[in-house]
Amino acid sequence: MTQIVRDPSLYEPNDEDLCTVFGYFCHAHDCFYLDEACTEEPHLIALDCQDHGPESVWPQPLMLMFPEGFDPPLSDAQLAWAEAGW
């Protein structure tokens, strides 16, 4: 499974968003990613906000173990934010 963390086609969240309901959407199979609903491999999933649809997510600190694995690379703000949490 590959998770899309950041992509220009996805909504870019900001501090003013009050989103509360999220799920995952499988772009490879054009369906919501649930244990039983999307059974074919491989998966290409993105966070899906009820209000905005698929959206970029801020990287989690543990993702910094493999920063070269991000395509496109993390923005300077994303990298600084993740490093501060590390």
Side-chain angles (χ1 to χ4, degrees), residues 50-64:
Q50 182 178 358
D51 296 331
H52 302 109
E55 68 177 46
S56 295
V57 297
W58 286 92
Q60 300 302 308
L62 288 177
M63 292 178 178
L64 292 175

Side-chain angles (χ1 to χ4, degrees), residues 18-82:
L18 301 175
C19 308
T20 57
V21 180
F22 296 94
Y24 285 98
F25 190 83
C26 182
H27 288 262
H29 304 111
D30 199 30
C31 65
F32 285 97
Y33 180 78
L34 303 170
D35 290 336
E36 295 86 25
C38 188
T39 57
E40 298 179 38
E41 298 275 339
H43 301 288
L44 181 63
I45 63 169
L47 186 67
D48 188 81
C49 170
Q50 182 178 358
D51 296 331
H52 302 109
E55 68 177 46
S56 295
V57 297
W58 286 92
Q60 300 302 308
L62 288 177
M63 292 178 178
L64 292 175
M65 292 173 62
F66 307 102
E68 67 281 350
F70 290 98
D71 184 23
L74 297 177
S75 69
D76 290 341
Q78 287 176 316
L79 184 58
W81 183 86

